[in-house]
Amino acid sequence: MILKTIRSVTMAVLAMVSVGVSAQDLLASQAPVDKKMRAIDSVALQRQIQKEKMEYPGFALYPSWINDRVHVYANAAMPDSFTIDLKGFCMPTESRKITSKYGPRRRRMHKGVDVKVYIGDTIRSAFDGKVRVVSYERRGYGKYVVIRHDNGLETIYGHLSKQLVGENQIVKAGEPIGLGGNTGRSTGSHLHFETRFLGQEIDPSKMFDFPNQDIVADTYTYYKPGSRKKAGSKDGGSEIRYYRVRKGDTLSKIAARQGVTVKRLCQLNGITTRTTLRIGQVLRFS
Ligand SMILES: [Zn+2]
């Protein structure tokens, strides 16, 4: 009995000592419980975030969710820059043939790329997202689908012969959303593919490389016109970004695509304009 009491007093004293000497140990022994709680919290939180994302992709970016038109963001506040994660992509079509590039065309702006497809070819969602518009424009897109993606981008698929999805439907990257066609203002079946950020069109070939059936880089950064830091400036942003060299790349092509000067690319990577680029080589561009 006495022995037992002494032992428990000793234990208590030891415990007190250990609190005094090493509060860290005590904290450490509690940590697993804390972590567990946090894990539960974050699971619930993640589920909630996921649910909101599903209901309303790009919630933090986009002011509205409107089904009836493509262009609804005239008053949206554009961030100075926004990096779009392209990693979860799927090429919208297996076709590698660009028949018309993005850019001025016959006095009009061609706001997407045209990719050769045949009537009935499967057209797929470029990323996970939610279908915003399924509509028809006789003099324009023909039968078209607009999808807003979780990464902040919207993609438009025009001239379809058939739409396979409905408005507000959740889609996964690679899910068939329509069939290739020749509807609307179109001569010869093709897919008209647009990429837009908050309504602002971006050249899809800066993100999607149809001939190589791949993305151009893991991310694409949108810069609001005029907000971009001067290329080569010492404080040109703290974000470090990389580009993987592909077949056919040259320093000037990469520089143009990533919006930096060749000089800056050389500075960042310790190379010169005469350095031979290897396919797969990783270059820092910011
Ligand atoms: Zn087109």
Side-chain angles (χ1 to χ4, degrees):
M1 187 68 192
I2 290 167
L3 244 169
K4 216 176 177 184
T5 312
I6 289 169
R7 233 174 106 201
S8 55
V9 168
T10 313
M11 294 296 278
V13 169
L14 278 174
M16 281 165 74
V17 168
S18 82
V19 168
V21 168
S22 176
Q24 283 300 328
D25 287 350
L26 201 70
L27 285 174
S29 71
Q30 285 176 352
V33 180
D34 266 10
K35 265 190 193 145
K36 215 172 186 178
M37 297 273 284
R38 238 175 283 144
I40 293 165
D41 274 1
S42 71
V43 165
L45 190 65
Q46 284 306 317
R47 210 171 279 154
Q48 182 62 26
I49 290 170
Q50 206 53 40
K51 192 168 157 251
E52 277 173 21
K53 264 188 177 173
M54 301 279 260
E55 276 167 17
Y56 199 10
F59 180 79
L61 287 166
Y62 283 81
S64 57
W65 179 264
I66 294 170
N67 292 126
D68 66 344
R69 311 189 298 287
V70 175
H71 315 291
V72 288
Y73 307 123
N75 301 316
M78 298 299 262
D80 283 347
S81 73
F82 184 81
T83 297
I84 297 162
D85 184 354
L86 305 176
K87 290 194 290 289
F89 81 107
C90 174
M91 295 306 287
T93 161
E94 288 169 16
S95 170
R96 295 168 183 260
K97 195 176 172 198
I98 302 281
T99 53
S100 183
K101 290 180 182 175
Y102 172 96
R105 185 178 71 175
R106 296 190 296 269
R107 287 188 297 175
R108 286 168 58 110
M109 182 66 186
H110 186 225
K111 293 179 175 178
V113 290
D114 292 346
V115 190
K116 179 63 200 170
V117 298
Y118 294 93
I119 293 171
D121 281 359
T122 303
I123 308 298
R124 299 172 188 279
S125 176
F127 302 99
D128 291 355
K130 185 173 178 177
V131 177
R132 186 164 70 79
V133 185
V134 176
S135 191
Y136 176 69
E137 260 182 19
R138 195 167 60 88
R139 292 167 183 276
Y141 291 118
K143 288 184 181 173
Y144 70 101
V145 170
V146 181
I147 303 176
R148 188 186 295 171
H149 302 289
D150 303 344
N151 63 4
L153 199 67
E154 285 196 332
T155 52
I156 304 172
Y157 312 77
H159 311 310
L160 305 173
S161 60
K162 191 176 165 81
Q163 294 128 315
L164 300 176
V165 286
E167 280 170 2
N168 305 318
Q169 184 178 329
I170 304 290
V171 289
K172 286 282 173 200
E175 200 169 316
I177 51 144
L179 300 179
N182 190 25
T183 56
R185 183 197 285 263
S186 169
T187 46
S189 64
H190 72 279
L191 171 70
H192 172 88
F193 177 63
E194 288 184 20
T195 46
R196 289 175 181 257
F197 175 67
L198 276 162
Q200 179 61 53
E201 62 271 9
I202 300 168
D203 180 355
S205 67
K206 289 188 171 168
M207 292 176 242
F208 292 88
D209 180 346
F210 283 93
N212 288 306
Q213 289 283 298
D214 201 355
I215 41 174
V216 171
D218 287 348
T219 60
Y220 172 84
T221 302
Y222 167 85
Y223 291 95
K224 186 161 86 176
S227 71
R228 190 168 206 152
K229 293 222 167 68
K230 282 179 213 85
S233 72
K234 293 248 159 55
D235 59 311
S238 54
E239 202 184 354
I240 297 174
R241 284 172 303 138
Y242 297 94
Y243 174 82
R244 206 169 59 236
V245 176
R246 282 150 205 261
K247 201 175 157 195
D249 275 345
T250 61
L251 274 178
S252 53
K253 266 192 195 171
I254 296 168
R257 268 187 170 168
Q258 304 303 334
V260 293
T261 61
V262 170
K263 195 179 159 199
R264 180 75 179 140
L265 265 186
C266 290
Q267 276 174 357
L268 284 169
N269 295 282
I271 57 174
T272 72
T273 50
R274 278 174 296 176
T275 304
T276 310
L277 298 176
R278 285 176 291 108
I279 292 171
Q281 182 178 352
V282 174
L283 292 178
R284 181 177 161 183
F285 67 87
S286 74

